[in-house]
């Protein structure tokens, strides 16, 4: 009767739907718990959706580690080009299990495979090997890269390394220890300058100081019998966004339980499988990096006395970060460049190529999980990796624009977007916001106080904690971690959950979803918004209090003096690097008149473009010209890269002399000169009509190529295939 009454029917419709959603949501939690139990019982749990083949088990290395190298077996509909350089994806070991870089086909691995590149993956087991250190892992990863390089000697370039979050700084350390191994290095959502940020945002950087330093990490490791539980790292991430952790994530599944269950379960299968780290590993991370911020300062020294210096990396470095990332904001991803260099001239003198790409909104995990990001940014990285590898030293921003029917030369665009590398200066990085000298002193004070507190803990409390801790007590406290209990409690191990599966199946077979215009559904959504708003108000107030406390406490001149910082303290963190190199100016000038047809053409091309960055259409036009040459005359990509970099160096040294010397290395054959001139114009006009400055410089080059007294001819409009 009440059900058919138009006044009461909306309530009963909503009530039935709410009960059904509650049971279905409970069933989702049951499945999540079962996934957790299954993953916990596996020797090598992961969430990769691709078939794989184990190549190297890190446990068999001279210094065993719990890492492994696998080959990704391409899906049946994917064709791999053996001549293309391989991609290696390194997964982050930051509390969660492996597989995030390939948990779906629209992923870093998926887009690289579709671009025809062989793909490999470096993951890890849940438990570390006894005595394993971060340095051991870096050396193991260097071995993995060498194995892949040896397997692909015929490829057109060295392996591309992709490191997500924690894996990013780890491969940067590895690359500085073995700088000749790899090709381009892509670090996504990776913090390298750990104190960096702007006030009013990103409060996680204050956490170490507010906890009194890193002594708590030692305490948790000691309670774990020398092993740190990654579940604490997961809890730390979750505490950063209480609205999402305590309400939004769960409510989104409850509200859309008919469609969101699979996506939620796929993610939670990764998120809910925490791994373990040795005490020495986590202590290195917090002491040397998060609180100590020693990586960019060059203060990390390996066991054999070698300094880990990011200046040593000669492979192009691609930094992918986002304004929406509150775990690794752009400042923490990019300010290491400011830590290492005073200006772009220093980057160039050191021979480094640094490229960054800024997303406007995606969150931390979305940088390497989002299918939309994979289909845009990561796909464009894969399509344009040869252009990135060939860029002369400098600082560039990768900018993507939509390609449409009005795009000039669409045949030279591989994907849906046009990739452009635009020259930048350090002022562009500074404009994103950075610490002033006073804030740097505050973080330095926090780092020194951390050392004091750690010393007090290790002297007074650690012996007692170790004496009362046993392997059994360590395992018990890990199993009782709230994150693990929350997953396990809803699994089939709990007898209370026994009837849920059957009831849920019955509901799915006879579902009664409420209509979108139901007023009680509107009230539910309004209540949800109210809860989210209040949790966000709480988080904002908490973050403001954290910042004010940190700034006030560590800004105290008395505390700074107590830990040994002088009032007139100047930042001596930077390791001064000699950028002079081995070559003298005289040796470089001697190269002005050395070379041949290709060197002259590349020098002329770079002069016309004059440091304006690059457009993928220009590089693809150059590639088309290279590939159209007879095979016995074709220049390998590595050789082309060397020529591009060398000629760019000569132009920077003395542009006038470098340009004037071009006729000295040109062939005498007028027809070859004409073809080269046509090829140069083909490249500079690949992105549309040349700009006035480019056109003027091209006319300068035309006069050099045609020689004095030659009759000026129009540049023929020919395709790359016609220009031999």
């Amino acid at each position: 009767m009440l059900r058919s009454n138009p006044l009461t029917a909306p309530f009963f419709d909503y009530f039935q739907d709410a009960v059904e959603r509650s049971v279905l949501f409970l069933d989702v939690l049951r499945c999540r718990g079962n996934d957790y139990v299954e993953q916990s019982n596996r020797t090598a749990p992961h969430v990769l959706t691709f078939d794989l083949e184990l190549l190297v088990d890190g446990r068999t290395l001279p210094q065993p580690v719990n890492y492994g190298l696998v080959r990704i077996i391409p899906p049946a509909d994917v064709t791999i080009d053996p001549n293309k350089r391989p991609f290696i994806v390194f997964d982050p070991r930051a509390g969660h299990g492996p597989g995030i870089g390939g948990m779906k086909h629209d992923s870093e691995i998926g887009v690289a495979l579709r671009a025809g590149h062989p793909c490999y993956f470096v993951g890890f087991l849940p438990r570390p090997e006894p005595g394993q250190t971060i340095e051991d892992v870096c050396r193991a990863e260097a071995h993995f890269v060498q194995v892949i390089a040896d397997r692909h000697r015929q490829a057109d370039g060295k392996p591309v390394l992709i490191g997500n979050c924690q894996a990013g700084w780890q491969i940067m350390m590895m690359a500085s220890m073995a700088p000749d191994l790899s090709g381009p290095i892509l670090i996504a959502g990776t913090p390298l300058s750990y104190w960096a940020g702007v006030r009013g945002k990103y409060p996680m950087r204050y956490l170490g100081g507010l906890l009194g330093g890193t002594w708590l990490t030692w305490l948790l490791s000691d309670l774990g019998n020398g092993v740190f539980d990654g579940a604490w790292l997961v809890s730390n991430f979750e505490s950063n966004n209480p609205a999402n952790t305590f309400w939004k994530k769960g409510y989104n599944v409850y509200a859309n339980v008919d469609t969101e269950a699979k996506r939620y379960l796929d993610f939670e299968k990764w998120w809910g499988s925490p791994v373990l780290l040795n005490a020495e590993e986590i202590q290195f991370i917090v002491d040397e990096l998060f609180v100590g911020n020693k990586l960019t300062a060059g203060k990390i020294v390996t066991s054999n006395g070698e300094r880990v210096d990011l200046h040593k990396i000669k492979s192009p470095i691609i930094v992918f970060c986002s304004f929406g990332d509150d775990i690794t904001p752009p400042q923490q991803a990019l300010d290491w460049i400011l830590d290492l260099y005073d200006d772009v001239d220093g980057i160039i003198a050191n021979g480094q190529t640094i490229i960054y790409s800024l997303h406007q909104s995606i969150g931390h995990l979305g940088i390497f999980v989002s299918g939309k990001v994979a289909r845009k940014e990561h796909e464009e990285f894969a399509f344009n990796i040869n252009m990135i590898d060939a860029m002369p030293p400098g600082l560039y921003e990768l900018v993507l624009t939509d390609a449409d029917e009005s795009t000039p030369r669409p045949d030279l665009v591989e994907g849906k977007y046009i990739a452009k590398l635009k020259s930048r200066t350090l002022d562009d990085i500074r404009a994103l916001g950075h610490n002033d000298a006073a804030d740097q002193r505050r973080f330095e004070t926090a780092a020194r106080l951390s050392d004091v507190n750690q010393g007090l803990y290790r002297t007074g409390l650690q012996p007692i904690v170790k004496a009362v801790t046993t392997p059994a007590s360590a395992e018990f406290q890990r199993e009782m971690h709230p994150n693990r209990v929350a997953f396990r409690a809803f699994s089939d191990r709990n007898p209370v959950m026994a009837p849920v599966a059957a009831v849920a199946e019955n509901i799915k077979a006879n579902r009664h979803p409420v209509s979108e215009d139901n007023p009680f559904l509107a009230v539910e959504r309004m209540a949800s918004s109210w809860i989210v708003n209040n949790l966000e108000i709480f988080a904002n107030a908490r973050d403001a209090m954290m910042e004010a406390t940190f700034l006030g406490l560590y800004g105290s001149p008395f505390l700074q003096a107590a830990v040994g910082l002088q009032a007139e303290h100047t930042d001596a963190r930077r390791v001064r690097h000699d950028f002079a190199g081995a070559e003298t100016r005289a040796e470089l000038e001697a190269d002005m008149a050395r070379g041949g047809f290709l060197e002259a053409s590349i020098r002329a091309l770079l002069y016309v473009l004059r440091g304006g960055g690059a457009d993928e259409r220009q590089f693809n036009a150059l590639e088309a010209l290279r590939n159209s040459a007879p095979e016995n005359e074709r220049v390998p990509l590595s050789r082309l890269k060397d020529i591009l970099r060398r000629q760019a160096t000569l132009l920077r040294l003395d542009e006038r002399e470098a340009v004037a010397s071009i006729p000295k290395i040109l062939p005498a054959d007028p027809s070859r000169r004409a073809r080269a001139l046509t090829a140069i114009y083909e490249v500079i006009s690949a992105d549309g009509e040349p700009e006035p400055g480019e056109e003027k410089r091209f006319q300068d080059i035309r006069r050099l190529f045609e020689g004095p007294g030659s009759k000026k001819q129009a540049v023929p409009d020919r395709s790359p295939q016609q220009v031999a």
Side-chain angles (χ1 to χ4, degrees), residues 4 54 72 78 122 159 238 275 395 400 403 410 425 437 448 456 459 466 497 512 514 573 582 678:
S4 60
L54 178 65
I72 301 297
V78 170
V122 174
E238 291 182 333
V275 298
L395 178 65
L400 301 179
T425 69
R448 294 198 181 190
L456 292 173
T459 301
K466 285 188 171 183
M497 299 296 293
H512 302 89
V514 70
R573 294 178 49 78
T678 302

Side-chain angles (χ1 to χ4, degrees), residues 112-140:
L113 286 172
R114 290 199 296 271
H117 294 273
C119 280
Y120 299 85
F121 178 79
V122 174
F124 43 85
L125 300 177
R127 292 180 178 270
E129 290 295 293
Q132 172 181 312
T133 66
I134 295 295
E135 180 183 337
D136 295 334
V137 174
C138 289
R139 297 196 185 281

Side-chain angles (χ1 to χ4, degrees), residues 11-56:
F11 170 76
F12 284 99
D13 290 344
Y14 169 78
F15 181 77
Q16 182 176 20
D17 173 65
V19 171
E20 290 179 354
R21 280 187 288 149
S22 298
V23 175
L24 294 176
F25 179 63
L26 198 60
D27 188 55
V28 171
L29 295 182
R30 181 188 66 84
C31 294
R32 184 186 74 161
N34 290 342
D35 285 344
Y36 163 78
V37 172
E38 180 185 351
Q39 290 287 88
S40 299
N41 291 332
R42 294 176 64 184
T43 302
H46 64 81
V47 294
L48 289 171
T49 59
F50 299 91
D51 293 330
L52 50 88
E53 171 195 1
L54 178 65
L55 297 181
V56 182

Side-chain angles (χ1 to χ4, degrees), residues 149-219:
D150 291 342
R151 286 173 64 98
H152 294 272
R153 293 185 182 277
Q154 83 287 0
D156 59 6
K158 294 180 180 180
V160 177
L161 312 185
I162 300 178
N164 298 318
C165 189
Q166 177 270 345
W169 58 254
Q170 199 161 268
I171 63 172
M172 288 286 280
M173 288 179 58
M174 179 270 289
S176 73
M177 295 162 64
D180 297 324
L181 273 182
S182 70
I185 300 170
L186 168 60
I187 50 177
T190 295
L192 288 174
S193 187
Y194 302 91
W195 297 348
V198 293
R199 292 193 183 183
K201 294 182 178 180
Y202 321 127
M204 283 190 71
R205 64 191 181 126
Y206 301 125
L207 193 57
L210 294 176
L211 293 175
T214 65
W215 70 274
L216 271 175
T217 311
W218 269 119
L219 174 61

Side-chain angles (χ1 to χ4, degrees), residues 207-404:
L207 193 57
L210 294 176
L211 293 175
T214 65
W215 70 274
L216 271 175
T217 311
W218 269 119
L219 174 61
L220 292 173
S221 296
D222 291 337
L223 290 172
N225 200 36
V227 174
F228 181 84
D229 187 358
W232 292 111
L233 295 176
V234 178
S235 298
N236 192 34
F237 292 142
E238 291 182 333
S239 68
N240 195 48
N241 189 348
N244 186 68
T245 299
F246 297 119
W247 187 259
K248 284 170 65 175
K249 184 165 70 170
Y251 176 74
N252 183 56
V253 180
Y254 168 76
N256 305 282
V257 71
D258 299 306
T259 58
E260 282 294 301
K262 184 181 184 307
R263 184 202 61 80
Y264 175 79
L265 289 173
D266 287 345
F267 179 80
E268 291 292 287
K269 190 174 185 178
W270 171 73
W271 187 258
S273 301
V275 298
L276 308 179
L277 297 88
N278 281 335
E280 294 80 7
E281 292 182 287
I282 188 64
Q283 212 58 43
F284 175 94
I285 293 171
V286 294
D287 284 342
E288 306 297 307
L289 303 178
F290 292 164
V291 175
N293 197 29
K294 297 178 182 179
L295 179 57
T296 57
K299 294 183 178 180
I300 296 176
V301 180
T302 64
S303 58
N304 60 5
E306 179 185 2
R307 187 179 298 278
V308 178
D309 184 357
L310 299 184
H311 290 105
K312 296 178 182 178
I313 301 174
K314 300 307 177 189
S315 304
I317 302 167
I318 309 142
V319 181
F320 182 31
C321 53
S322 171
F323 289 107
D325 185 350
D326 56 0
I327 303 296
T328 305
Q331 294 80 12
Q332 292 188 14
L334 291 170
D335 278 12
W336 63 274
I337 305 171
L338 304 180
D339 294 340
L340 264 60
Y341 299 104
D342 291 319
D343 50 41
V344 170
D345 289 342
I347 299 175
I348 294 171
N350 191 39
Q352 277 193 335
T353 302
I354 303 173
I355 296 163
Y356 65 92
S357 179
L358 286 165
H359 196 284
Q360 295 302 308
S361 60
I362 197 70
H364 181 68
L365 294 176
I367 290 176
F368 36 88
V369 174
S370 167
K372 186 176 181 180
V373 170
R375 291 189 299 271
K376 184 178 181 181
E377 281 83 2
H378 286 292
E379 189 168 69
E380 289 300 317
F381 294 146
F383 283 154
N384 295 287
I385 201 66
N386 285 346
M387 175 177 71
I388 289 170
D389 195 17
M391 288 300 292
L395 178 65
Y396 307 90
E397 181 180 3
L398 178 68
V399 178
L400 301 179
T401 56
D402 292 330
D404 53 34

Side-chain angles (χ1 to χ4, degrees), residues 409 625 670-686 689-690 695 698-699 702 706 711-724:
R409 295 301 306 272
L625 292 169
S671 63
R672 291 191 70 191
R673 290 189 178 204
R675 289 200 301 271
L677 199 60
T678 302
I680 291 170
Y681 194 82
E682 184 74 32
V683 173
I684 67 171
S685 61
E689 286 297 316
E695 182 65 41
F698 177 75
Q699 296 305 328
R702 179 201 290 274
E706 293 178 346
K711 185 178 180 181
K712 184 175 179 179
Q713 298 178 356
V715 176
D717 182 15
R718 296 194 286 175
S719 67
Q721 289 75 16
Q722 292 175 298
V723 182

